[in-house]
Amino acid sequence: MRPPAGAGQTGAGTSSPAGLQALKAQALGRWAAMAPRERRLATVALAAVGGILVWLLMVQPAWRTLRDAPAKIDALELQLQQMQRLATEAEELRRLPRVSPAQADAALQAATERLGPGARLTLQGNRASLEVNGIPGEALMAWLGEVRGAARARPQQVRLTRGPAGYTGSIVLDLGRPG
């Protein structure tokens, strides 16, 4: 059986121990042939390249992590606090006694009337739909808070567009009752 072409050759493309030995011998030969000044220059250049590689691959990523960690930790703590606040609010809402459908409807109607003529409420079984036109964001937030607490309604679908006069669109609520 014949060895493949190029087998047994040593050179830059081989990774066998014999090939590495040949490369090492070639590099040492070039090094010995250099003048002392050229050796110093090559040593300084290799040290500079090595220093840059150490900086880029080891020091800089660790430094960046240390620099960015406090801001990321603060952001995660804020998210955790918000999630805990929402969990507490959900637990409080679960503990509240159920309201009768008549009380829920009355609470929805009263909250909607406070929004003014730009709001129209439609009740249909287990759902309520609010159509708004030009309602300020603060008023909508207050309305949502009121209907969540007083009528135990949960937003299911929100389609709002912000315009110069306020928000326009619809909010569909689940009233949490059969029907």
Side-chain angles (χ1 to χ4, degrees), residues 7 9 24-25 27 57 60 73 93 105 107 124 146 151 161-162:
Q9 294 179 353
K24 182 179 177 183
L57 298 176
Q60 189 181 25
I73 289 171
L93 286 173
D105 292 349
Q124 195 171 27
E146 185 175 347
T161 305
R162 186 175 176 183

Side-chain angles (χ1 to χ4, degrees), residues 48-74:
V49 168
I52 289 171
L53 284 175
V54 165
W55 172 262
L56 289 175
L57 298 176
M58 296 178 190
V59 176
Q60 189 181 25
W63 196 302
R64 187 179 308 126
T65 299
L66 287 173
R67 183 190 66 217
D68 296 346
K72 288 181 181 178
I73 289 171
D74 290 345

Side-chain angles (χ1 to χ4, degrees), residues 115-174:
L115 287 176
R120 190 181 79 230
L121 182 71
T122 306
L123 297 170
Q124 195 171 27
N126 190 36
R127 295 194 181 267
S129 178
L130 176 73
E131 299 290 327
V132 295
N133 188 7
I135 303 294
E138 298 81 23
L140 277 177
M141 286 178 50
W143 181 85
L144 275 172
E146 185 175 347
V147 298
R148 282 184 68 196
R152 311 296 190 272
R154 295 184 318 256
Q156 292 297 313
Q157 183 179 23
V158 178
R159 289 192 176 142
L160 296 173
T161 305
R162 186 175 176 183
Y167 285 92
T168 301
S170 66
I171 300 173
V172 177
L173 302 169
D174 178 14

Side-chain angles (χ1 to χ4, degrees), residues 96 149 163:
L96 291 174

